[in-house]
Amino acid sequence: MDTARLEGVLHDAGLRATRGRVAVLNALTVHPHVDAETVFRAILPELPGTSVQNVHNVLGDLTAARLIRRIEPAGSAALYERRIGDNHHHVVCTACGAVADVDCVVGRAPCLHPSDAGGFAIDTAEVTFWGLCPSCQ
C-alpha cells in the first residue's frame, strides 16, 4: 500500500501519520497475523533507530484507534492484522502455529448467539479453530 494512502488512513482515525505508524501499517499489510517482534524486524531496515518498545507502542495506538486487530491464540504471543470490521475468525495450526483467516461461520455478525448473554449487547464473536495446516498434515 502506498504511503499517501496509509497516511490518509491514520489521519482519518485522528492519528498523526508518523514514519513509525506508516511503517507498521505497511508491514501488517504485507505480513498479516504477526507478532510485534516480526513487525520490528520488518520495519528495521526502513527505520534503523526504532526499538521493539516503540513498535509495541505503535501497535497499541493502532489497536486503540481500531485500525488493526489484536488476536491472542492460546500459547502464542499477541498477533496483529489489518483485516478489521468484518467479524472474521481464525484457524491456527497446532503443529507450526500458522494462522489463517476464516470468514464468518454462519449468517451476519456476530455469527454466533449465546444462549444467555447476561445482559450484554453482543456485537462480535471471536472463534479460533485449531487443526493441522496443509503443510503439517
Side-chain angles (χ1 to χ4, degrees):
M1 189 174 254
D2 68 76
T3 300
R5 184 180 250 168
L6 293 174
E7 288 173 349
V9 167
L10 289 162
H11 287 144
D12 290 347
L15 296 175
R16 284 187 25 240
T18 64
R19 287 182 65 211
R21 287 175 177 162
V22 170
V24 168
L25 276 178
N26 189 54
L28 290 173
T29 300
V30 176
H31 308 285
H33 309 124
V34 294
D35 62 12
E37 185 68 33
T38 302
V39 173
F40 170 71
R41 288 192 308 272
I43 70 170
L44 194 56
E46 182 182 345
L47 298 172
T50 197
S51 67
V52 174
Q53 183 58 53
N54 185 52
V55 169
H56 279 284
N57 293 343
V58 169
L59 290 168
D61 292 344
L62 297 176
T63 302
R66 298 179 185 235
L67 293 178
I68 64 173
R69 182 175 173 191
R70 175 184 169 125
I71 61 171
E72 300 180 60
S76 170
L79 305 176
Y80 298 87
E81 65 179 344
R82 294 261 340 259
R83 185 176 171 185
I84 57 169
D86 64 353
N87 195 215
H88 70 280
H89 308 295
H90 297 94
V91 60
V92 180
C93 180
T94 55
C96 72
V99 178
D101 291 330
V102 175
D103 287 328
C104 195
V105 182
V106 176
R108 296 186 339 217
C111 304
L112 305 173
H113 300 281
S115 59
D116 180 6
F120 283 75
I122 306 296
D123 59 14
T124 304
E126 248 182 66
V127 177
T128 303
F129 298 95
W130 298 87
L132 291 175
C133 70
S135 297
C136 292
Q137 289 178 29

